[in-house]
């Protein structure tokens, strides 16, 4: 649960700080930062609900309703961009790593990069 919430909250705090600093000099920039806070908060809530649903479900057999999809390979570039727009000096380098067609590996990879 820490990974689901802590990273989003950290970026939300950074964006809120940016908004507070920009509110007088650059209202449009402040508004953009606040939109990021909103989007990050919404994403964290959706992921948390998904995790809690999985933890509370004794069976994932037939008829199981899948919740929202957790982030994976396809979301890594957006993760890096959110950190960048929060003012962090980050970059993503692709050294030709093979993306396995495995959803769980994609989620774990996303979380490892998020932790970094």
């Amino acid at each position: 649960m820490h990974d689901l919430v802590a990273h989003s909250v950290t970026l939300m705090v950074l964006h809120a700080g940016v908004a507070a600093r920009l509110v007088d000099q650059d209202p449009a920039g402040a508004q953009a930062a606040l939109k990021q806070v909103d989007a990050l908060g919404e994403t964290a809530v959706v992921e948390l609900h998904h995790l809690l649903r999985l933890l509370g479900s004794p069976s994932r057999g037939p008829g199981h309703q899948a919740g929202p999809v957790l982030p994976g390979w396809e979301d890594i570039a957006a993760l890096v961009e959110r950190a960048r727009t929060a003012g962090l000096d980050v970059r993503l380098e692709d050294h030709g790593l093979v993306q396995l067609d495995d959803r769980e590996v994609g989620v774990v990879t996303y979380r490892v990069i998020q932790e970094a």
Side-chain angles (χ1 to χ4, degrees), residues 45-109:
V45 168
V46 167
E47 289 182 0
L48 187 56
H49 280 251
H50 179 66
L51 178 62
L52 292 174
R53 190 174 317 127
L54 289 175
L55 291 175
S57 175
S59 170
R60 293 184 63 196
H64 172 74
Q65 294 280 329
V69 177
L70 293 172
W73 298 105
E74 66 280 0
D75 303 299
I76 292 171
L79 171 69
V80 171
E81 186 57 32
R82 283 193 305 270
R84 197 176 288 129
T85 60
L88 299 175
D89 183 20
V90 295
R91 67 176 177 222
L92 178 64
E93 293 182 14
D94 183 347
H95 294 278
L97 294 174
V98 176
Q99 294 183 10
L100 302 173
D101 189 21
D102 184 323
R103 187 69 192 147
E104 287 78 19
V105 172
V107 171
V108 169
T109 302

